[in-house]
Amino acid sequence: MVMRELAGVLRRVARKSDVVCRHGGEEFLLLLPEATLEGTRGKAEELRREVERLALACEGQPLGSITISAGVALYPQHATTAVALLRLADEALYAAKEGGRNRVVVSGARAFTRVAAEALQSE
């Protein structure tokens, strides 16, 4: 039920040109063609706020608050290959989680970890 509601929020927030897909168990991938860094960061923040506002219940019992963390990476500013871009977005996601969750971290931002840079050098 939670994943279904989250997918609904993703569909409502996404533009017609955006691509939404599930990536792994509890992760989603949102591709924003032709988006600027500020537009992408803004979309991630909008998504984070919309999820935070969800009031979910199961059999009449509230489930409590739901939050998300998001990692943002932009082509070609952060990486020029799909593999590297996904890795940077994933590293930014983990930096968001390590930074306290319920936040958006952009690749290359202060909270971004050294691990991503080292991983890219090995490619």
Side-chain angles (χ1 to χ4, degrees):
M1 177 180 116
V2 173
M3 296 300 274
R4 190 170 46 245
E5 290 294 325
L6 181 56
V9 171
L10 280 160
R11 283 192 300 274
R12 287 191 302 276
V13 169
R15 306 170 300 174
K16 287 184 180 185
S17 61
D18 296 341
V19 178
V20 178
C21 53
R22 194 159 174 190
H23 183 273
E26 296 180 345
E27 294 179 359
F28 287 86
L29 185 63
L30 181 56
L31 303 174
L32 307 170
E34 307 297 323
T36 63
L37 179 58
E38 284 309 309
T40 303
R41 182 194 333 247
K43 186 63 71 174
E45 282 292 345
E46 177 186 359
L47 177 60
R48 187 193 62 73
R49 286 189 308 270
E50 289 296 318
V51 169
E52 191 175 37
R53 287 187 196 117
L54 286 175
L56 303 178
C58 182
E59 297 180 8
Q61 298 298 315
L63 295 178
S65 64
I66 307 281
T67 62
I68 64 166
S69 298
V72 173
L74 201 66
Y75 172 88
Q77 289 87 331
H78 297 125
T80 57
T81 68
V83 170
L85 193 64
L86 187 55
R87 181 175 290 152
L88 287 172
D90 198 45
E91 287 293 328
L93 168 62
Y94 283 99
K97 290 178 179 181
E98 290 171 2
R101 300 182 181 264
N102 195 27
R103 64 189 63 222
V104 173
V105 170
V106 174
S107 177
R110 239 174 240 191
F112 188 64
T113 62
R114 187 186 84 222
V115 175
E118 291 171 354
L120 286 176
Q121 289 176 354
S122 67
E123 284 188 355

